[in-house]
């Protein structure tokens, strides 16, 4: 097999460039890690609210969300996990991409100040508020099989089927679900890569606010996370409020916290031009 | 080329039913039948090999990184890992691994993500996602069919506080993984062309793919 290797000089130059880049990326880290949003959540002014939906435990919902609008997902009195998917409303082949999201921001810990990327290198959501600091992008949602194993003999709904219903009712199908973001899911990763439920980091009244950075279709499923230690299937309602967000200031945290977010928003600007 | 390392006495280079050399930066796809074993060899070492699997008779069923991580309650891929589809079925099981560390949480490089990671000057560089688009288009699929993949031989440690970064691969020349197919699958590989990070030591190199029939079908 013929193969010509790159020269040591080329490799050294690339490595130096990467190390410089990594150093710059990590220098942003302190700014990218603000404290979780305070509880309780401040009320949203009534004239900003576009719609409010209570998703019953175990059910799904979807909404259109326009750029500049936001959604608050409020656990109300429950400690539910909410699984979320999203597509670009104008081209649904562009969708939430969690592997790019974590790789580009150097972390799987997605909380206040972070952004959620699409597969096209553009920002879909800014996480403008997040009181739990406990969101999971690795494990995905429950399935019929995972529920059957965890709640034997109990009739349950699951996130996989819920999100297939969401997709199909939007004219999409199961090919269009490439991963879900779990809000309010305190999953920890140990040095061997093992997952565990980190205790009750998620509290009644926890909330997250996601500002839309492009026009989107957003789907939700309100089912227990696969690692939720509660042995009884009893998901509680969550409240999703769609509202007009305040315009981002010049020093908006999500838009300035990392070099990667700055470049991602440049890609958004090119899309809108 | 490295020496052949037997993992099963009846399997040899001579009775492999397929033997493919995949040049640096190139892509490949092929069907692995139920019961067959596929070996993916990192011939020169430190080469990330981005891989996707689709059920051969229903491409809407495909590899799911989240279901795979959920099913084994862990982030890394190694011996014994069952690769799970979006329908919760076992697609393949990893039966041999001479390296010990493979990633499925960091996805593939793309021209678009490279602009975010490395700046807009990195946009017009060969990337895995383009390899995947070209390769799956041969099978009637499109961009929407690309899902988060496995990165064989890519080292992406995650720390308990969530930090993750791609670090130098630990694979040596000739390291390999073997997977036995539990259903007929289309295997799609992008031999990663990324030269902006250490996933392949900044020097993409060729790889090799071998396929054997089930041992019971080999004469002897």
């Amino acid at each position: 097999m013929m193969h010509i290797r790159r020269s040591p000089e080329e490799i050294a130059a690339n490595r130096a460039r990467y190390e410089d880049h990594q150093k710059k990326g990590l220098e942003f880290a302190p700014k990218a890690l603000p404290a979780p949003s305070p509880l309780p959540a401040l009320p949203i002014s009534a004239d900003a609210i576009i719609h409010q939906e209570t998703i019953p435990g175990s059910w799904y919902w979807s909404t259109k969300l326009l750029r500049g609008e936001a959604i608050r997902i409020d656990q109300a009195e429950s400690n539910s996990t909410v699984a979320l998917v999203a597509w670009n409303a104008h081209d649904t082949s562009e969708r939430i991409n969690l592997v790019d999201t974590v790789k580009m921001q150097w972390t799987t810990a997605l909380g206040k100040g972070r952004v959620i990327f699409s597969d096209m290198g553009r920002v879909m959501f800014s996480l403008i508020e997040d009181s739990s600091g406990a969101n999971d992008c690795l494990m995905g949602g429950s399935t019929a099989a995972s529920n059957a194993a965890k709640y034997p003999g109990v009739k349950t709904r699951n996130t996989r089927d819920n999100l297939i219903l969401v997709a199909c009712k939007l004219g999409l199908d199961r090919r269009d679900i490439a991963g879900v973001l779990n809000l309010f899911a305190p999953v920890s990763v140990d040095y061997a890569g093992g997952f565990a439920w980190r205790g009750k980091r998620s509290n009644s009244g926890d909330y997250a606010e996601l500002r839309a950075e492009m026009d989107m279709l957003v789907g939700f499923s309100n089912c227990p996370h696969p690692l939720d230690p509660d042995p009884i299937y009893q998901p509680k309602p969550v409240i999703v409020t769609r509202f007009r967000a305040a315009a981002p200031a010049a020093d908006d945290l999500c838009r300035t916290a990392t070099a990667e977010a700055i470049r991602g928003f440049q890609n958004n600007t090119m899309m809108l031009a | 080329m490295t020496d052949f390392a037997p993992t099963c006495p009846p399997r040899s280079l001579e009775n492999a039913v397929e033997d493919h050399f995949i040049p640096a930066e190139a892509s490949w796809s092929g069907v692995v039948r139920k019961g067959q074993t596929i070996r993916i060899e990192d011939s020169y070492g430190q080469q990330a090999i981005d891989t996707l699997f689709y059920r051969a008779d229903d491409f809407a069923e495909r590899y799911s990184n989240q279901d795979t991580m959920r099913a084994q309650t862990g982030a890394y891929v190694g011996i014994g890992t069952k690769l799970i589809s979006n329908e919760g079925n076992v697609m393949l099981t990893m039966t041999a691994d001479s390296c010990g560390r493979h990633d499925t949480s960091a996805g593939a490089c793309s021209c678009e993500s490279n602009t975010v990671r490395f700046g807009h000057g990195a946009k017009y560089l060969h990337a895995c996602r383009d390899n995947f688009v070209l390769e799956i288009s041969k099978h009637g699929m499109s961009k929407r069919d690309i899902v988060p993949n496995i990165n064989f031989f890519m080292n992406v440690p995650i720390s308990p506080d969530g930090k993750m970064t791609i670090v130098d691969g630990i694979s040596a020349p000739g390291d390999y993984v073997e997977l036995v197919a539990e259903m007929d699958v289309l295997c799609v590989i992008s031999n990663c062309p990324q030269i902006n990070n250490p996933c392949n030591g900044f020097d993409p190199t060729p790889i090799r793919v071998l396929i054997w029939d089930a041992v019971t079908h080999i004469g002897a």
Side-chain angles (χ1 to χ4, degrees), chain A residues 64-66 86-92 94 124 214-218:
Chain A
K64 181 177 269 192
L65 192 66
L66 302 179
W87 299 273
N88 177 337
H90 308 290
D91 171 8
T92 53
E94 179 171 9
M124 299 191 97
M214 63 172 71
D215 296 348
M216 282 184 289
L217 303 169
V218 185

Side-chain angles (χ1 to χ4, degrees), chain A residues 27-51:
Chain A
E27 277 171 1
F28 277 85
K31 191 177 179 187
L33 293 169
S37 304
L39 289 169
L42 296 171
I44 300 169
S45 88
D47 58 0
I49 293 175
I50 299 163
H51 179 77

